[in-house]
Amino acid sequence: MDGRILFLPGDGVGPEILREARRVLEAIEELYGHRFDIIEGSMGAEAIERFGTPLPEETRKLAVSVDAVLLGAVGFAVQPVNGTTVDPAKGLLELRELLGNYANLRPIAVPDTVVGTSPFRADHVRGVDLVIVREALGGIYYGRPRGIENGVAYDTEIYTEAEIRRIAESAFELARTRRRKVTSIDKANVLASSVLWRRITGEVAGQYADIEFGSMFVDNCAMQLISNPRQFDVVLTNNMFGDILSDEAAVLCGSLGMLPSASVGGDVGLYEPVHGTAPDIAGKGLANPVGAILSVAMMLDLTFALPEEANAIGDAVARVLRDGYATADLWAAGGRAPVSTAEMGTLVVGALGTPKRAKREQRC
């Protein structure tokens, strides 16, 4: 297997975690005989400093020419450019739009091997295995008009029937590969956009008689994710709700640093850990690279159709955590002193071992 991958380290801890993700990918190359051409590009605050924009034209051209994009993290404070301010995170929204990736998949799972990393009792989170399917190209993050005028700030939540229908169909198709249950999250008791969301998702559900379906208000879902997380399989929701709920759900497996994600739907998949730039710990070797490493696993599975290699990475991460090794962000993993970002990468590479066919299992 040959492939071209664009690496965008970005800001804060992004370069540190992507360095470890690259080491894992290179180990997979060696173990399985693949060859991936890795190209590095500029994005985020560092791109603003160099080019005056968070997503330079050169990066745009590279992004549409490769097989997949792997992103570290973008953010930091809003940057001044020629008398105006530019938000580095705007580049991420532009990149998703450029690639046409309307479906953001965020898996959260707590198998036995990583149950010790959660702050919850083992019997409460053991067996949690859900995926948040977040609509990624619509809603309040892209809606117009928006602005601040005369002391008044305004944003607009907009969804079309077509946008809701396509993300709903993605969620139901995914559910057919899992436990056949979809829970749609909205705020239909308050928001007109959610009234339409509930109507269209209900119509789509009628086309999937084999899938159990229900709707839930977002505030109730926020509570249920903590009080009864095992009830969920595929969680379908809009852009903003999915952003918030996936961060909340991260606590089930111990840390936001554990979660990978995939943005798909276009010709080029975008893969990134869920967490942000964490500027307070950047450069200190404290960041958790697991989310980035598992994003590589999702990339191998979804873009390159290499499930065995993807499972090998998931198994390696699980073995390292089961043996009691963890970065400082995790609740507990057996009483050992925390390991550094680079040490965690080294441990995962070492746990990969020799190629063997692994049983497919989603990892947290």
Side-chain angles (χ1 to χ4, degrees):
M1 165 66 71
D2 291 345
R4 298 180 73 234
I5 304 168
L6 175 61
F7 269 46
L8 300 174
D11 311 316
V13 300
E16 300 169 61
I17 59 168
L18 224 57
R19 188 178 304 119
E20 303 313 311
R22 181 168 185 160
R23 292 174 62 199
V24 171
L25 182 60
E26 288 171 347
I28 289 291
E29 284 184 293
E30 182 178 352
L31 290 169
Y32 290 86
H34 302 308
R35 180 182 177 276
F36 297 105
D37 183 15
I38 298 174
I39 307 158
E40 289 210 6
S42 182
M43 184 177 172
E46 60 93 17
I48 293 175
E49 293 176 359
R50 293 175 58 192
F51 303 102
T53 175
L55 188 63
E57 185 60 29
E58 180 182 350
T59 303
R60 288 174 175 269
K61 291 178 179 178
L62 287 171
V64 297
S65 70
V66 296
D67 298 302
V69 178
L70 189 66
L71 172 65
V74 292
F76 281 171
V78 172
Q79 304 287 310
V81 177
N82 298 326
T84 62
T85 56
V86 180
D87 186 349
K90 184 173 180 285
L92 177 55
L93 299 182
E94 292 177 353
L95 182 59
R96 288 174 179 159
E97 191 171 31
L98 173 68
L99 299 178
N101 291 326
Y102 61 85
N104 182 238
L105 312 180
R106 298 188 166 190
I108 299 100
V110 190
D112 287 345
T113 47
V114 300
V115 73
T117 66
S118 175
F120 292 96
R121 296 191 321 269
D123 63 333
H124 185 71
V125 296
R126 181 179 285 113
V128 166
D129 182 4
L130 62 95
V131 178
I132 294 178
V133 178
R134 168 190 173 191
E135 199 290 322
L137 291 184
I140 202 166
Y141 290 180
Y142 290 92
R144 295 290 187 272
R146 64 189 306 166
I148 302 175
E149 297 178 0
N150 301 320
V152 177
Y154 50 94
D155 297 280
T156 305
E157 167 86 355
I158 295 179
Y159 269 110
T160 67
E161 289 191 15
E163 288 173 329
I164 299 169
R165 193 173 300 278
R166 72 179 179 181
I167 191 64
E169 290 172 349
S170 295
F172 279 91
E173 290 296 328
L174 178 60
R176 279 181 166 166
T177 70
R178 293 173 51 84
R179 302 196 310 277
R180 296 180 178 267
K181 180 178 181 181
V182 173
T183 306
S184 178
I185 310 303
D186 59 46
K187 191 63 176 170
N189 59 335
V190 176
L191 301 176
S193 58
S194 281
V195 173
L196 180 64
W197 183 279
R198 184 167 289 213
R199 176 163 67 82
I200 300 302
T201 56
E203 290 178 4
V204 174
Q207 303 167 16
Y208 291 85
D210 56 321
I211 305 296
E212 179 184 350
F213 174 72
S215 294
M216 186 179 291
F217 293 144
V218 64
D219 41 358
N220 184 30
C221 179
M223 179 185 71
Q224 294 290 334
L225 275 172
I226 300 303
S227 63
N228 184 19
R230 283 196 294 262
Q231 70 181 286
F232 296 107
D233 179 21
V234 174
V235 177
L236 164 65
T237 193
N238 70 14
N239 209 341
M240 182 169 67
F241 294 163
D243 192 357
I244 296 168
L245 292 173
S246 59
D247 282 18
E248 179 201 8
V251 74
L252 297 170
C253 60
S255 169
L256 197 60
M258 297 283 285
L259 300 190
S261 78
S263 294
V264 296
D267 293 331
V268 178
L270 170 63
Y271 302 88
E272 58 178 314
V274 171
H275 63 74
T277 58
D280 56 322
I281 62 170
K284 299 180 180 179
L286 299 175
N288 187 346
V290 167
I293 290 169
L294 292 180
S295 294
V296 169
M298 292 188 77
M299 177 184 69
L300 292 175
D301 189 11
L302 298 178
T303 290
F304 295 106
L306 298 173
E308 181 179 352
E309 290 83 337
N311 288 332
I313 293 175
D315 290 340
V317 168
R319 281 196 293 274
V320 170
L321 294 170
R322 181 194 59 207
D323 290 344
Y325 297 99
T327 45
D329 57 309
L330 291 173
W331 176 259
R336 297 180 185 270
V339 299
S340 69
T341 307
E343 287 170 337
M344 178 59 82
T346 298
L347 287 164
V348 174
V349 168
L352 282 170
T354 56
K356 63 180 181 179
R357 187 156 303 276
K359 181 181 179 181
R360 185 174 182 82
E361 180 182 359
Q362 273 196 305
R363 300 297 182 187
C364 178

